Amino acid sequence: MSLLYWARKLYSLDTLDTRFTHSANPPRAVSESQSQSQSQPQLNQIGRSATTGQDGRPTDSVSQSRWKTPEFFFYYLAFIIVVPLMFKTVIDVSQGQYSKCQLHFSSFDFSVLSALSVESHPTYSSYSHLLSPGWIPGRKVAYRPALIFQDNSDAQFSSFRDNIPSLLGLVVGHPLLHRVYDFFVSRDPKVAKPSASLLAKLRLEQRTQFDYYFALLFILALHGLSALKVLLILFLNYRIAKGLPRKYIPVVTWIFNIGILFANELYDGYPLSDIAKVIKPAEGSLGQVSSLVSCAQWLDGLGGLMPRWQILFKVTILRLISFNMDFYWSLEQLSSSPIEKKQLDPASLSERDRMRIPAEQTSFNPVYYVAYVLYSPLYLSGPILTFNDYISQQRHAPSSITRTRTILYAIRFCLTVLCMELVLHYIYALAISSAAPNWSLYTPGQLSMLGYFHLHIIWLKLLIPWRFFRLWALLDGLDPPENMVRCMSNNYSALAFWRGWHRSFNRWVVRYLYVPLGGGGTRSTERTLLSRARGMFNFLAVFTFVALWHDINLRLLMWGWLVSLFVLPEVVASLIFPARRWHSHPNTYRVLCGIGAVGNILMMMMANLVGFAVGLDGLKGLMEGIVGSYSGLAFLVLACAGLFIGVQVMFEIRESELRAGIKMKC
């Protein structure tokens, strides 16, 4: 097969996640010799069912391809010119250049005795101390051949990056150990012709028992004695589900887990030394430390590889809520089985059915609960898998996992890591923003590119760990959802953006919070405005929770409220300019949508810069630098024109997906 075929397959949506190409149907296993042309008729059939009504008339207009039109050839020319200039702008402010140096030669080495530096930007000295030694040859900030620099100043990503060798050992060792366990501890059906349900039950028991024991060892190695604190929280949450009357489970579950979220932050993981100081204060007039406090401090030192267990426990809280709520909803269907009622094949359920159809009551037991909540590949950062989905995939191996798809996904992950390494070696946006420089020393173009690439680096630093842990789960035989759907620059809708950014968390929020609150309200035409208002209130409540879940601070709370506020123009515009009224003027409607999308993109960038990058003060400095002069305003107009071109290309990408039978909501 041609190299072009494998390149297309490598970056296809089907390789990324079969949920995107088989959203309404169970994912089908694709044989390793199956070509793209062979699977295309199936996708087209799915597309026709999604875009046509029962009478065969289209319900969603799909336009003819515009890729070879003069309009898009102009866009290609703009991309060829603008995109390299964007990279050049931010690279130029991320380096110091040396114009004069004195070299000394000896018989053993070649060294620089002295150098008179002429830095390329006045702020370089303010952030140069944040740079770290790199490895890419030829990337020299100064004329020092032995030292190559990179921007590894982000603590969150650097901790992951520095531990990649150890994590790779886990990714290889854990699935191999699982297979060895399955080989030696395989369960005998004890019948001549076991039924499919019996084999599924044995598979569930075998896999969850391995997950249970490995998870206990894993958190013990990660958190040391603090693993007991984690297990205590798990026990209390389990007792809420199993010990309370059904009607109290949702309220108490949410109160307990949100309380744990705040308590973990306020009490910094409950150090034993702090508890000991309350029980037995300092002794004597000189405030000598008591023996109990000394012992507690020693025990605190046994914190394992990751003593601050509370930092990443927020992901575990989502699984705690998922278990309790799935158990709560399962009590409504004790008298009937949805699988039997709908005559479904339990071995080939769609993801929607795996999430909605409750697990058997016997599955809500302590072993399966601990195995799910502490499932090692997804324990640290997700993606988030619901309890029902976890049990379903443990009973029946997901057909979406194939050797070819997993290998391609691993290659794609490695290329993403390489991309991040190149960016960190050439673009120092993180270090510059961390140093809080004088923004007035940058031109409007430099300011905007620093903010733009800063957001891209944030996107990459989240994408890489999520794909790493998802790859680990795929190698272990479990298929969690992909967290990042599209590149950050391939988004124009605020609503669609949040469906695709941290997608598994978004789906979790919809299932366990947004829908129970009432969702978007009724769709009746008489109450459209009231329905939209209720939906916006629920949206605000959801993003308040999302902001607090990320971190309990004012900046992220402002981010959540800004996101909710910036969604409002899109909602209002959809009411004023409904698509059904523009069927006879598709190009005019496309231009109107493009203008609105440019505003959406600018607002989304501002919200994310406040929440995850420079904060409100930094955003104020950026905005003053851009709009504080005529040259800045002229640049803003040109930037909006560039965004408009990018939006038109985004529109056409989605139209191409519809023509291929892929209908995504982001």
Side-chain angles (χ1 to χ4, degrees):
M1 297 183 183
S2 67
L3 182 62
L4 181 60
Y5 164 80
W6 285 110
R8 289 178 175 176
K9 195 168 183 62
L10 178 65
Y11 283 97
S12 68
L13 287 171
D14 191 65
T15 296
L16 187 61
D17 195 338
T18 57
R19 294 168 177 85
F20 303 144
T21 54
H22 301 81
S23 58
N25 299 299
R28 302 174 184 177
V30 180
S31 63
E32 298 185 9
S33 62
Q34 184 178 11
S35 67
Q36 187 175 7
S37 60
Q38 289 174 321
S39 61
Q40 193 63 37
Q42 297 177 356
L43 291 176
N44 289 335
Q45 181 62 37
I46 297 172
R48 283 193 293 272
S49 66
T51 59
T52 60
Q54 294 180 352
D55 59 355
R57 292 182 299 178
T59 57
D60 294 315
S61 60
V62 180
S63 63
Q64 296 296 319
S65 174
R66 297 188 180 91
W67 292 119
K68 296 182 180 180
T69 62
E71 175 189 358
F72 272 75
F73 279 111
F74 171 75
Y75 295 162
Y76 304 150
L77 178 62
F79 269 80
I80 292 172
I81 296 173
V82 174
V83 173
L85 286 177
M86 293 169 62
F87 278 90
K88 183 180 183 302
T89 300
V90 74
I91 290 174
D92 285 346
V93 299
S94 299
Q95 61 181 343
Q97 296 177 347
Y98 289 74
S99 62
K100 183 178 179 181
C101 59
Q102 299 175 358
L103 306 180
H104 173 73
F105 294 89
S106 70
S107 58
F108 298 101
D109 65 357
F110 171 85
S111 62
V112 179
L113 290 182
S114 63
L116 299 176
S117 63
V118 180
E119 294 167 359
S120 62
H121 199 274
T123 63
Y124 173 71
S125 59
S126 66
Y127 66 84
S128 59
H129 64 283
L130 298 174
L131 304 180
S132 304
W135 59 269
I136 295 180
R139 177 53 177 156
K140 305 175 181 65
V141 176
Y143 193 86
R144 297 169 65 185
L147 188 59
I148 301 166
F149 291 102
Q150 67 171 341
D151 184 358
N152 197 28
S153 59
D154 184 85
Q156 184 180 16
F157 181 73
S158 64
S159 63
F160 172 82
R161 182 182 180 276
D162 296 341
N163 287 292
I164 283 181
S166 302
L167 292 171
L168 285 176
L170 278 173
V171 167
V172 175
H174 173 265
L176 287 177
L177 184 61
H178 201 161
R179 284 161 175 75
V180 171
Y181 175 87
D182 289 342
F183 179 78
F184 287 103
V185 195
S186 59
R187 294 179 177 271
D188 185 6
K190 297 181 181 180
V191 293
K193 294 182 178 180
S195 63
S197 60
L198 177 59
L199 291 176
K201 180 181 179 181
L202 293 176
R203 184 180 191 275
L204 171 65
E205 292 176 354
Q206 183 168 322
R207 287 186 60 86
T208 50
Q209 283 198 359
F210 174 84
D211 291 344
Y212 172 79
Y213 291 115
F214 190 91
L216 293 178
L217 294 175
F218 186 63
I219 66 163
L220 184 62
L222 280 180
H223 307 315
L225 288 182
S226 293
L228 298 177
K229 304 173 188 176
V230 174
L231 294 176
L232 176 60
I233 294 174
L234 265 63
F235 171 76
L236 295 175
N237 184 77
Y238 183 80
R239 292 310 306 161
I240 290 173
K242 288 291 191 171
L244 293 179
R246 180 180 178 274
K247 63 180 181 180
Y248 297 123
I249 292 176
V251 175
V252 178
T253 293
W254 277 98
I255 292 175
F256 171 76
N257 282 282
I258 291 179
I260 290 294
L261 191 67
F262 277 85
N264 286 352
E265 181 76 17
L266 295 175
Y267 296 102
D268 197 25
Y270 325 106
L272 297 178
S273 57
D274 291 350
I275 299 175
K277 289 176 184 177
V278 174
I279 297 174
K280 192 171 184 180
E283 298 176 344
S285 58
L286 298 178
Q288 297 176 347
V289 177
S290 65
S291 57
L292 179 62
V293 174
S294 298
C295 181
Q297 289 174 343
W298 178 78
L299 292 175
D300 286 335
L302 304 177
L305 300 174
M306 188 180 294
R308 301 197 67 197
W309 61 273
Q310 71 277 11
I311 300 298
L312 298 176
F313 191 75
K314 60 186 70 174
V315 181
T316 306
I317 284 177
L318 302 181
R319 289 188 284 266
L320 295 178
I321 295 174
S322 175
F323 176 86
N324 283 18
M325 294 304 297
D326 282 359
F327 174 71
Y328 167 77
W329 286 323
S330 72
L331 299 177
E332 296 178 348
Q333 305 182 32
L334 292 176
S335 58
S336 62
S337 171
I339 293 180
E340 296 177 358
K341 185 177 180 180
K342 297 181 180 180
Q343 296 183 345
L344 300 173
D345 180 7
S348 59
L349 295 176
S350 67
E351 185 199 26
R352 182 180 302 174
D353 288 333
R354 292 202 306 263
M355 292 173 60
R356 292 183 177 180
I357 296 177
E360 297 178 356
Q361 287 297 304
T362 54
S363 297
F364 293 94
N365 61 64
V367 173
Y368 294 1
Y369 168 67
V370 172
Y372 161 69
V373 173
L374 302 180
Y375 180 61
S376 301
L378 307 181
Y379 171 71
L380 292 175
S381 65
I384 311 302
L385 197 68
T386 67
F387 179 77
N388 288 342
D389 197 356
Y390 170 81
I391 294 297
S392 178
Q393 292 195 46
Q394 296 290 50
R395 289 177 61 88
H396 303 279
S399 58
S400 57
I401 299 179
T402 64
R403 181 180 299 175
T404 297
R405 186 181 285 117
T406 303
I407 292 174
L408 290 174
Y409 189 86
I411 294 172
R412 189 163 173 171
F413 165 76
C414 293
L415 291 175
T416 305
V417 175
L418 178 60
C419 175
M420 183 63 155
E421 288 295 303
L422 289 171
V423 169
L424 293 180
H425 277 76
Y426 284 86
I427 297 173
Y428 302 151
L430 293 178
I432 291 173
S433 63
S434 298
N438 183 359
W439 299 110
S440 63
L441 297 176
Y442 294 92
T443 66
Q446 292 170 343
L447 285 171
S448 60
M449 289 303 99
L450 282 172
Y452 177 77
F453 279 95
H454 193 153
L455 292 178
H456 263 285
I457 295 173
I458 291 173
W459 178 78
L460 278 170
K461 82 167 188 177
L462 296 174
L463 173 74
I464 289 173
W466 284 335
R467 285 197 177 171
F468 177 86
F469 291 116
R470 181 170 185 259
L471 175 62
W472 182 359
L474 290 173
L475 292 172
D476 189 46
L478 209 66
D479 186 7
E482 173 66 28
N483 259 345
M484 291 292 201
V485 178
R486 299 188 189 273
C487 175
M488 192 209 78
S489 291
N490 189 13
N491 288 277
Y492 59 85
S493 165
L495 290 170
F497 175 76
W498 292 114
R499 293 191 191 105
W501 177 287
H502 204 166
R503 182 170 176 263
S504 67
F505 182 41
N506 175 269
R507 290 156 67 87
W508 183 95
V509 167
V510 170
R511 174 172 171 79
Y512 296 107
L513 187 58
Y514 186 66
V515 171
L517 284 175
T522 178
R523 295 185 178 181
S524 63
T525 56
E526 294 82 2
R527 299 182 60 191
T528 299
L529 292 177
L530 180 60
S531 173
R532 295 282 185 172
R534 179 179 178 182
M536 286 303 303
F537 173 80
N538 292 339
F539 200 80
L540 178 62
V542 164
F543 266 94
T544 299
F545 168 77
V546 170
L548 293 175
W549 178 83
H550 276 89
D551 200 359
I552 302 173
N553 62 48
L554 182 60
R555 191 176 76 175
L556 280 176
L557 193 59
M558 291 171 59
W559 162 79
W561 291 341
L562 279 175
V563 168
S564 303
L565 177 64
F566 289 164
V567 167
L568 188 59
E570 183 177 344
V571 174
V572 173
S574 65
L575 291 175
I576 298 175
F577 302 100
R580 63 180 181 275
R581 296 182 183 176
W582 296 84
H583 281 311
S584 58
H585 304 283
N587 287 326
T588 304
Y589 187 67
R590 180 164 60 92
V591 172
L592 287 174
C593 290
I595 295 172
V598 169
N600 263 351
I601 292 173
L602 293 175
M603 289 187 292
M604 285 191 292
M605 290 180 66
M606 287 190 291
N608 284 297
L609 282 171
V610 170
F612 298 103
V614 299
L616 192 59
D617 293 336
L619 178 64
K620 182 180 178 182
L622 286 171
M623 294 301 297
E624 289 176 350
I626 293 174
V627 302
S629 64
Y630 289 112
S631 61
L633 292 174
F635 170 81
L636 183 61
V637 172
L638 291 175
C640 290
L643 289 175
F644 180 84
I645 292 174
V647 165
Q648 295 304 317
V649 175
M650 296 180 213
F651 288 165
E652 189 59 24
I653 290 173
R654 285 151 181 79
E655 291 292 311
S656 298
E657 291 171 353
L658 285 175
R659 287 190 288 270
I662 301 172
K663 189 175 182 180
M664 302 174 66
K665 294 182 179 180
C666 53

